[in-house]
Amino acid sequence: MTQNKKKVNWSELCPELVQCVFERLSFTNLKRGRSVCSSWRTALRGCVPKRNQIPWLILFPQNDNNNENNNTSCVLFVPEDRDKTYKTRDLGAYFVKSSCVATYGSWLLMLDTLWNLYIINPLTGERIDLPTTDYAQYERPSDIKPQDLVACLWIDDISKDYLVACVMGYPVFTKKGNHSWRRISSRYGEGRYKQMVYQPTSQQLYVRRYYNYPVKVWSFSGDDPQQVSEDNYPPVEYAFWDFLSKDKELYLKEEEFYVKEYVDSRLYIAVSTVSGQVLKVVNVLQKFKRWRFLVYKMHPVELTWEVVDSLGDEALILDMGITVVAKDIPGIKRNSIYFSGLDNGSTNPDHIFVFDLTTHEIEPLPQCVFSSVRFSDARWFFPGLDA
């Protein structure tokens, strides 16, 4: 007796079962699931994939005559799916005219043409408007451009609690529930600010300044930020000129290195989400597209910067100023630096890469990333970050 096998219609699966399966999978698998059929697309509309553990690259559309198709979506590159890119939802012309100045998790801190700031999630379209800035209310210095704005962002994905700090002539901050920007007081004068990094676990804001100023640190554990002693973080600029002293071969060719081979350089600070340790990073671009990176940590006794040979099982997301766990996680390389260029990659896609600190080699991104759209800016960000 022959038993007839009933043909399965996968589109008729219980929506709750489809959600239960796909919320355990990655973002890329969730995107594939939504394209199977209309019933799956409906079932997965509110589904959130498992917590992401790898950085993504986001490419911003151009806001000029080169944007022929009036593209108002961003392109996403997810390293675990190397041969494919994804597009965000339509984010609108207002978004295209804005500039990204910081990221945290799935969220972007954007600066509009009137110099007001807002927070937006490009994956969901959710937006949070921030109080009007002084630069929007009053005349700002004519030589300041959007890319010059120093800012940082932290936001909780669940509660939507947030903290935004930036420099509008002097450091200011706002957080959920505030209706204005509040000035961050400094006991040692203002100085010129270059970079901000917020560490949510310790609730401390680290600020790097120009020249030989120490790193400033403020604690946000109370109602009002309190400045922490600068004695623990000496000037970050000194060690830049020690770059060659750590490499005997280059030290002997100092003149050749700086005069003949040197093209450009940058200096950064970063905070480990694992240990809370503050790091300093120097990168130098030489001729013939040669890149060099040095990472420093603070000596606990002598309080001087010393070279770190390895990040161990962590990876450095330089755009965010943080390191993250990278051990045995597909799609992220341990002991590597995720870099988006000296100018966020907007003028040279070849400057967007992953730098392996073990081999001192760069890993370029697949060509499909840059052939998919003409872009104005690029940043590594970390959807789902919980640090």
Side-chain angles (χ1 to χ4, degrees), residues 34-238:
R34 286 172 175 161
S35 65
V36 169
C37 60
S38 60
S39 61
W40 281 30
R41 184 163 54 254
T42 301
L44 297 176
R45 185 169 294 160
C47 186
V48 178
K50 69 177 182 179
R51 189 173 74 85
N52 177 58
Q53 294 180 288
I54 64 174
W56 300 2
L57 185 73
I58 183 168
L59 303 179
F60 296 86
Q62 288 187 328
N63 178 30
D64 54 30
N65 294 331
N66 292 321
N67 192 347
E68 299 173 354
N69 298 321
N70 295 318
N71 178 34
T72 56
S73 300
C74 293
V75 169
L76 301 174
F77 169 64
V78 184
E80 67 180 352
D81 204 354
R82 287 191 59 83
D83 298 324
K84 191 172 181 180
T85 59
Y86 300 89
K87 275 194 173 184
T88 66
R89 62 182 61 211
D90 184 341
L91 298 171
Y94 185 83
F95 175 86
V96 175
K97 294 178 181 179
S98 303
S99 302
C100 181
V101 294
T103 72
Y104 187 87
S106 305
W107 298 81
L108 311 175
L109 178 62
M110 305 296 294
L111 179 71
D112 69 15
T113 55
L114 297 177
W115 281 73
N116 279 313
L117 289 161
Y118 63 95
I119 308 169
I120 189 170
N121 186 326
L123 306 183
T124 64
E126 187 174 0
R127 171 174 163 161
I128 301 172
D129 289 318
L130 301 178
T132 302
T133 67
D134 284 350
Y135 276 0
Q137 289 181 306
Y138 311 108
E139 186 176 352
R140 67 180 183 275
S142 59
D143 60 338
I144 295 182
K145 299 178 176 61
Q147 58 266 33
D148 297 327
L149 183 68
V150 177
C152 69
L153 165 70
W154 171 80
I155 183 168
D156 184 280
D157 246 340
I158 306 299
S159 67
K160 302 302 185 292
D161 288 336
Y162 63 82
L163 173 70
V164 176
C166 66
V167 178
M168 295 282 180
Y170 43 81
V172 295
F173 78 98
T174 191
K175 55 185 178 181
K176 186 177 179 179
N178 287 1
H179 300 291
S180 62
W181 292 88
R182 297 171 58 188
R183 187 163 181 167
I184 303 175
S185 61
S186 173
R187 70 173 85 116
Y188 299 117
E190 298 302 340
R192 297 182 63 191
Y193 299 91
K194 187 62 177 175
Q195 182 189 5
M196 288 181 161
V197 177
Y198 182 70
Q199 217 291 331
T201 304
S202 64
Q203 295 182 283
Q204 290 189 329
L205 175 69
Y206 298 86
V207 182
R208 179 174 68 81
R209 294 182 287 171
Y210 281 92
Y211 308 118
N212 291 326
Y213 290 106
V215 175
K216 282 190 174 184
V217 185
W218 282 275
S219 171
F220 279 77
S221 57
D223 292 335
D224 296 309
Q226 299 295 319
Q227 189 166 350
V228 179
S229 172
E230 294 178 328
D231 296 337
N232 295 332
Y233 300 98
V236 295
E237 303 287 348
Y238 286 141

Side-chain angles (χ1 to χ4, degrees), residues 232-301:
N232 295 332
Y233 300 98
V236 295
E237 303 287 348
Y238 286 141
F240 175 76
W241 299 109
D242 293 336
F243 195 97
L244 295 178
S245 67
K246 308 302 178 183
D247 189 317
K248 292 182 179 179
E249 180 182 351
L250 285 177
Y251 183 76
L252 296 174
K253 299 180 179 179
E254 180 174 350
E255 181 179 357
E256 178 182 354
F257 179 81
Y258 279 105
V259 178
K260 298 180 180 179
E261 301 298 322
Y262 178 88
V263 176
D264 207 343
S265 62
R266 293 292 186 275
L267 179 66
Y268 312 84
I269 57 172
V271 181
S272 169
T273 60
V274 179
S275 65
Q277 187 173 53
V278 179
L279 303 173
K280 184 183 67 172
V281 185
V282 178
N283 79 336
V284 173
L285 171 61
Q286 298 174 268
K287 291 181 180 179
F288 309 111
K289 298 182 181 179
R290 289 199 299 259
W291 290 90
R292 293 180 59 80
F293 287 81
L294 279 182
V295 180
Y296 296 80
K297 69 177 181 180
M298 184 64 59
H299 191 284
V301 178

